[in-house]
Amino acid sequence: MEDSREPLLSQREDQNHNHHHEDLDRLHSLPISTSSTYSFVPDADDIPPINGIRDFFREFYKESKKLWYLAGPAIFTSVCQYSLGAITQVFSGQVGTLALAAFSVENCVIAGFSYGFMLGMGSALETLCGQAFGAGQLDMLGIYLQRSWIILGTTASLLSLLYIFAAQLLKLIGQTAAISKAAGIFSIWMIPQLFAYAMNFPMAKFLQAQSKIMVMALIAAAALVLHTFFSWLLMLDLGWGLVGAAVVLNASWWFIELAQFLYIISGTCGRAWNGFSCKAFQNLWGFVRLSLASAVMLCLEFWYFMALILFAGYLKNAEVSVDALSICLIILGWMVMVAFGMNAAVSVRVSNELGAGHPRTAKFSVVVAVISSLMIGAILALILILTRNKYPSLFSTDSQVKEIVNDLTPVLALSIVINNIQPVLSGVAIGAGWQAIVAYVNIACYYVFGIPLGLIMGYKLDMGVRGIWYGMLSGIVAQTVALFFMVYRTNWNKEASIAESRIKRWGGHD
């Protein structure tokens, strides 16, 4: 794949760069979503014009193969890494109720917050590495990776204060003294996992940009198998309890980081890794700004669903409402794994093709990803509707909880459909480098519109948990419509030009 990409930038620049050079810097300051008459000559390898149904289905099939080559392993990797914490939680429940509560609180509140923020910071690399790879600027990928390590390592050092003072923080938000103390001690033990996040997310984006997804899946699978065995051995057989949970979970994450790092420096990435360089310390502030925009964009989405659980806890019969809502969100989380895989795939495809000067291919990749995700979401939602009287029994024996889950199934099904489209559009935004704009869209749609509407429907109109969810789902719909409009209005020729300008601004060569 590298051999076919490397000549693209030089071929295009020889023809176009001289008379476009002054326009590129000016274009970078223009609003992304506005139309433009800017003339960009696409690369000769761009997708040909589609005339008729036959051409559409032929190109749809070709692009689907490219997307699923990336999305399949990405979904598997996400499931494996997600399962590390889930397996530890299962074994913690066998240790004791306090151990389970301490792990759950640390995993959801402390580690969950840090995971979302660090993942967002790392997603800046998704834009830069993807576009640089598409443009044939392979030598810049390693520089970007090292810059991201510096920034995320510094961020992890600051976030470690959250782990150190976790006990006091948990007491402040209303947790019991016993749970706060146990979770606080466990949080300190989990600080190595925080620094593993700082290593992992940049490497994941670095490898994704080069379509080296399969090696990530194999490493994640090996980590999951080892994690399961050693969790049983240390936590139950040897009786180490939460200490064993911390040791195994930290070791599993660092196993993933070391395996990926050894793969990267072994020479398998070619010119993408040329060793450590002092260039990594250049342009750090600009890199920090893009990273922060990415973090805000993703964190606003993570916190939005955390708020749903929080608000449900203040309803009448709160325990039943929270249990039912938790079941629905677990199902939603597992099913959206497919969308997250497609998110990663379309982000790589869009950034690669924009960097390579293929605006029509980038646009068509978005069309294929949205249609595929919509079909998958509709199928999953239909299955859920057809089994609405049966699947709640898999999670609870309480009749009230099962009844509420049954009542929530239609909104859950609708959420699955919407949340299979929204991450794909977010992936397009990341691939094109629109993180800052999408952060503002998220604030408006989620926190100015969605949450207030949910509170009004849930409390004022006395619709309970369904009202809260319907209101907040309205925010997701509004955000999806806004992203769809941005994508629809995008001038992809201009985006390809901006990608070329961005690569040179961040240290790429002509």
Side-chain angles (χ1 to χ4, degrees):
M1 188 171 183
E2 293 174 6
D3 293 337
S4 66
R5 297 283 188 187
E6 290 183 26
L8 295 177
L9 182 64
S10 59
Q11 290 174 359
R12 189 170 69 259
E13 287 188 340
D14 289 343
Q15 299 170 1
N16 304 316
H17 180 264
N18 290 335
H19 63 278
H20 287 319
H21 181 74
E22 294 180 358
D23 289 341
L24 290 176
D25 291 334
R26 189 164 62 252
L27 274 169
H28 186 76
S29 64
L30 293 175
I32 293 296
S33 59
T34 58
S35 299
S36 173
T37 57
Y38 182 82
S39 176
F40 177 79
V41 181
D43 189 273
D45 292 333
D46 203 359
I47 187 175
I50 296 175
N51 300 309
I53 299 297
R54 182 175 296 180
D55 285 355
F56 177 82
F57 281 108
R58 183 189 67 246
E59 297 300 331
F60 188 96
Y61 175 71
K62 290 180 180 178
E63 183 61 32
S64 293
K65 289 198 299 183
K66 294 176 182 178
L67 277 170
W68 280 103
Y69 173 79
L70 298 169
I75 293 168
F76 182 79
T77 302
S78 298
V79 170
C80 288
Q81 292 184 355
Y82 180 84
S83 298
L84 294 178
I87 288 172
T88 304
Q89 187 165 348
V90 170
F91 284 116
S92 296
Q94 298 183 44
V95 172
T97 55
L98 181 60
L100 176 60
F103 176 82
S104 299
V105 168
E106 189 279 336
N107 194 49
C108 293
V109 179
I110 307 300
F113 174 87
S114 302
Y115 182 93
F117 194 81
M118 298 286 279
L119 177 62
M121 292 285 284
S123 75
L125 215 61
E126 206 163 338
T127 302
L128 298 173
C129 280
Q131 293 183 359
F133 180 78
Q137 300 267 5
L138 301 182
D139 54 314
M140 289 308 301
L141 269 67
I143 304 298
Y144 294 154
L145 173 62
Q146 293 168 58
R147 285 178 189 165
S148 192
W149 274 340
I150 294 169
I151 293 169
L152 265 71
T154 304
T155 304
S157 299
L158 296 174
L159 286 175
S160 63
L161 296 174
L162 180 66
Y163 284 65
I164 293 170
F165 297 103
Q168 293 87 333
L169 176 65
L170 292 171
K171 282 183 183 178
L172 189 64
I173 62 175
Q175 291 294 329
T176 66
I179 292 177
S180 298
K181 181 179 179 181
I185 295 172
F186 185 67
S187 295
I188 294 174
W189 293 339
M190 293 308 301
I191 289 177
Q193 183 192 51
L194 174 63
F195 286 91
Y197 291 160
M199 287 285 290
N200 177 68
F201 297 138
M203 286 192 290
K205 305 307 179 185
F206 172 86
L207 293 171
Q208 281 178 8
Q210 303 168 71
S211 299
K212 297 182 182 296
I213 309 291
M214 190 58 69
V215 65
M216 295 171 57
L218 294 175
I219 291 171
L224 182 60
V225 172
L226 293 172
H227 180 82
T228 304
F229 171 74
F230 282 104
S231 292
W232 167 82
L233 179 64
L234 271 65
M235 295 179 66
L236 300 183
D237 192 55
L238 298 181
W240 287 19
L242 279 182
V243 175
V247 170
V248 176
L249 201 52
N250 285 324
S252 297
W253 273 98
W254 275 102
F255 169 81
I256 293 173
E257 314 332 319
L258 292 175
Q260 290 181 349
F261 180 71
L262 291 175
Y263 177 81
I264 289 170
I265 66 173
S266 65
T268 53
C269 295
R271 287 199 300 116
W273 178 261
N274 292 315
F276 292 98
S277 171
C278 293
K279 290 182 179 180
F281 293 93
Q282 299 173 6
N283 298 322
L284 274 179
W285 176 239
F287 212 99
V288 168
R289 285 186 296 173
L290 182 59
S291 298
L292 285 173
S294 302
V296 171
M297 171 187 161
L298 289 182
C299 281
L300 289 172
E301 296 182 12
F302 270 89
W303 298 337
Y304 193 58
F305 285 99
M306 289 173 61
L308 185 57
I309 288 284
L310 178 65
F311 295 142
Y314 296 110
L315 291 169
K316 298 176 183 177
N317 203 5
E319 186 176 339
V320 173
S321 298
V322 170
D323 285 351
L325 190 57
S326 298
I327 291 170
C328 291
L329 291 182
I330 287 171
I331 295 171
L332 181 63
W334 282 109
M335 291 189 175
V336 168
M337 285 291 174
V338 176
F340 284 158
M342 191 63 73
N343 170 291
V346 75
S347 178
V348 171
R349 292 290 299 137
V350 168
S351 58
N352 281 181
E353 297 302 337
L354 287 178
H358 299 161
R360 289 195 301 270
T361 305
K363 181 179 180 180
F364 191 71
S365 181
V366 174
V367 174
V368 173
V370 170
I371 293 174
S372 300
S373 294
L374 179 61
M375 292 172 61
I376 292 169
I379 292 171
L380 294 173
L382 180 61
I383 293 171
L384 209 63
I385 292 291
L386 294 176
T387 60
R388 62 185 299 179
N389 293 320
K390 297 179 181 178
Y391 80 86
S393 299
L394 299 174
F395 298 91
S396 177
T397 57
D398 188 286
S399 59
Q400 284 184 290
V401 172
K402 289 192 289 185
E403 183 180 351
I404 294 178
V405 172
N406 194 318
D407 290 341
L408 289 174
T409 296
V411 68
L412 174 59
L414 181 60
S415 298
I416 289 170
V417 174
I418 297 297
N419 280 282
N420 265 275
I421 301 173
Q422 186 269 343
V424 173
L425 297 176
S426 292
V428 176
I430 292 172
W434 304 344
Q435 288 95 326
I437 296 174
V438 177
Y440 288 114
V441 171
N442 287 352
I443 291 172
C445 295
Y446 288 168
Y447 296 92
V448 177
F449 175 67
I451 286 181
L453 181 61
L455 294 177
I456 291 172
M457 295 177 71
Y459 294 100
K460 293 294 184 182
L461 301 182
D462 202 26
M463 294 176 64
V465 68
R466 277 189 300 170
I468 295 175
W469 199 345
Y470 276 125
M472 296 182 71
L473 182 61
S474 300
I476 299 174
V477 172
Q479 189 240 23
T480 303
V481 171
L483 289 178
F484 182 82
F485 183 76
M486 288 172 60
V487 171
Y488 177 75
R489 294 277 296 170
T490 294
N491 183 323
W492 292 97
N493 289 340
K494 189 183 78 172
E495 290 302 322
S497 297
I498 291 173
E500 183 178 344
S501 177
R502 181 183 289 119
I503 292 165
K504 281 182 282 208
R505 286 180 62 240
W506 292 99
H509 52 77
D510 293 347

